[in-house]
């Protein structure tokens, strides 16, 4: 998928997390989590600019998702006092949201004919739902619209509680 499709996929997966954070009274953290989801939604495609790294290679794996989550979680833990949050809370939210953002990218790419190899290099299993080409503008806009609607519903439900 392309940029807007990946943002939509990330927002769709983030919506329940944002809802939970809002219902727990952590509105600022919910907004930060949403922004983090958007910011990381296209990170795996940085492989286009990296020499010796193939597209949809290591950056499109579960291991990359966990590594990014670990880095952001550690950064959250170390900066929690500065931001006024409990270190374990910020580390957990940082890890979960970041990992989920990368996984959303993998899921969006898995519906394209090219698909993904989510366990490379340990297992070469390839998955493609072969539903729509990545460059399809309608599919990308539909994913974006779905993400915006999911976050809107989560926000309305959380505020209405």
């Amino acid at each position: 998928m392309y940029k807007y499709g990946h943002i939509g996929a990330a927002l769709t997966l983030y919506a329940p997390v944002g809802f939970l954070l809002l219902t727990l009274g952590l509105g600022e953290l919910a907004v930060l989590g949403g922004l983090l989801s958007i910011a990381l939604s296209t990170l795996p495609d940085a492989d286009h600019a990296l020499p010796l790294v193939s597209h949809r290679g290591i950056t499109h794996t579960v291991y990359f998702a966990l590594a990014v989550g670990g880095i952001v979680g550690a950064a959250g833990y170390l900066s929690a006092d500065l931001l006024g949050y409990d270190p374990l809370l910020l580390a957990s939210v940082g890890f979960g949201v970041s990992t989920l953002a990368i996984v959303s990218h993998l899921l969006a790419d898995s519906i394209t004919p090219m698909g993904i190899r989510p366990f490379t290099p340990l297992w070469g299993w390839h998955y493609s739902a072969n539903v729509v080409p990545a460059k399809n503008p309608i599919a990308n806009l539909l994913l974006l619209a779905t993400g915006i609607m999911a976050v809107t519903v989560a926000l309305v439900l959380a505020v209405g509680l």
Side-chain angles (χ1 to χ4, degrees), residues 3-156:
K3 179 181 178 179
Y4 295 119
H6 285 303
I7 290 171
L11 290 174
T12 301
L13 289 187
Y14 177 72
V17 176
F19 172 79
L20 178 63
L21 292 171
L22 286 169
T23 57
L24 292 174
L26 300 168
E28 290 176 353
L29 201 52
V31 171
L32 287 174
L35 294 173
L36 183 62
S37 289
I38 292 169
L40 294 177
S41 66
T42 59
L43 181 61
D45 284 339
D47 60 7
H48 285 291
L50 298 173
L52 306 175
V53 177
S54 62
H55 181 52
R56 294 198 187 179
I58 194 68
T59 62
H60 285 68
T61 65
V62 171
Y63 315 117
F64 184 73
L66 292 171
V68 170
I71 291 167
V72 174
Y77 185 86
L78 295 173
S79 63
D81 287 338
L82 205 94
L83 299 173
Y85 287 100
D86 175 71
L88 288 179
L89 172 66
L90 202 55
S92 300
V93 171
F95 175 82
V97 169
S98 300
T99 302
L100 197 61
I102 303 300
V103 167
S104 76
H105 187 104
L106 303 182
L107 290 172
D109 280 352
S110 75
I111 68 171
T112 69
M114 186 176 178
I116 59 168
R117 296 186 190 288
F119 302 105
T120 297
L122 299 180
W123 184 24
W125 176 68
H126 175 262
Y127 179 76
S128 167
N130 197 15
V131 173
V132 63
K135 66 181 179 180
N136 184 303
I138 294 171
N140 280 282
L141 286 175
L142 282 173
L143 276 175
L144 179 60
T146 301
I148 292 169
M149 286 189 301
V151 168
T152 302
V153 168
L155 180 60
V156 168

